[in-house]
């Protein structure tokens, strides 16, 4: 329930609340949930695990074996795209993942979750993952799980998160609330 005199700013997949027009205090956020499941993790879904990448309650993961990536515009909260890279079965997937991640620039939130097995061909993409905020050691163990909420700009925000587990010890999960950036406040307010 909203307080009387509360203003709401609505954009695709983002709702920003203002408690009053004079102060425009932000209290909303992007609600991020990332879940990476290795094939042998207890409690996995499906035959060999699933990768979930949810933004404001909607799953945008391509659900592919290997690395699943979702890109979100940090200014608007709009999901810009998603892609899967079979870093287990495709010898070229690590290079394609590297090139894809390195092409992401600007105010972009980059969400990554592995599914099933992702370690065999990931090594060419390790520096690209670090560029987004991943920290060493980046787990690249057989059937481990790996989740990352990263950022494409050089100055990293405090919400960057990485969770990883070895085989049988996952899944790896991130629950994150990312506050809206100042630039998200542009637009018209709707009084309710």
């Amino acid at each position: 329930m909203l307080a009387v005199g509360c203003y709401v700013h609505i954009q695709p997949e983002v709702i920003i609340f203002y408690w009053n027009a004079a102060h425009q205090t932000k209290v909303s956020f992007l609600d991020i949930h990332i879940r990476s499941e290795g094939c042998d993790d207890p409690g996995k879904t499906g035959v060999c695990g699933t990768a979930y990448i949810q933004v404001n309650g909607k799953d945008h993961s391509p659900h592919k074996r290997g690395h699943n990536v979702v890109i979100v515009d940090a200014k608007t909260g709009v999901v810009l795209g998603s892609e899967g890279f079979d870093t287990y079965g495709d010898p070229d997937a690590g290079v394609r993942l590297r090139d894809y991640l390195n092409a992401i620039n600007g105010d972009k939130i980059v969400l990554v979750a592995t599914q099933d097995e992702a370690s065999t061909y990931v090594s060419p993409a390790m520096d690209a993952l670090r560029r987004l905020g991943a920290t060493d050691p980046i787990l690249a163990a057989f059937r481990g799980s790996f989740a990352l909420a990263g950022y494409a700009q050089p100055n990293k925000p405090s919400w960057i998160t990485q969770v990883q587990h070895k085989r049988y010890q996952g899944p790896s999960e991130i629950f994150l609330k990312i506050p809206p950036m100042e630039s998200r406040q542009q637009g018209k307010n709707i009084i309710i």
Side-chain angles (χ1 to χ4, degrees), residues 11-65:
Q11 292 180 338
E13 298 192 49
V14 179
I15 299 175
I16 303 171
F17 295 94
Y18 300 116
W19 288 115
N20 62 50
H23 299 289
Q24 294 194 5
T25 305
K26 297 178 294 186
V27 295
S28 195
F29 46 83
L30 284 172
D31 188 10
I32 305 294
H33 176 208
I34 305 169
R35 181 178 168 102
S36 164
E37 299 176 350
C39 188
D40 298 319
D41 284 341
K44 70 181 181 292
T45 54
V47 176
C48 245
T50 304
Y52 298 96
I53 304 174
Q54 296 180 350
V55 179
N56 292 334
K58 184 177 179 187
D59 188 12
H60 295 276
S61 173
H63 304 289
K64 302 291 185 186
R65 178 177 65 186

Side-chain angles (χ1 to χ4, degrees), residues 104 153 178:
I104 302 168
Q153 289 280 33
I178 300 175

Side-chain angles (χ1 to χ4, degrees), residues 9-16 18 26 28-30 55-56 71-80 105-110 150-153 157 159 178-187:
H9 175 78
I10 301 175
Q11 292 180 338
E13 298 192 49
V14 179
I15 299 175
I16 303 171
Y18 300 116
K26 297 178 294 186
S28 195
F29 46 83
L30 284 172
V55 179
N56 292 334
I71 304 169
V72 180
D73 187 304
K75 292 180 180 178
T76 65
V78 172
V79 173
L80 301 173
N105 293 303
D107 291 322
K108 305 297 185 301
I109 298 167
V110 184
Y151 189 64
Q153 289 280 33
W159 50 256
I178 300 175
M181 297 179 65
E182 293 299 318
S183 56
R184 287 195 197 155
Q185 293 184 26
Q186 299 170 2

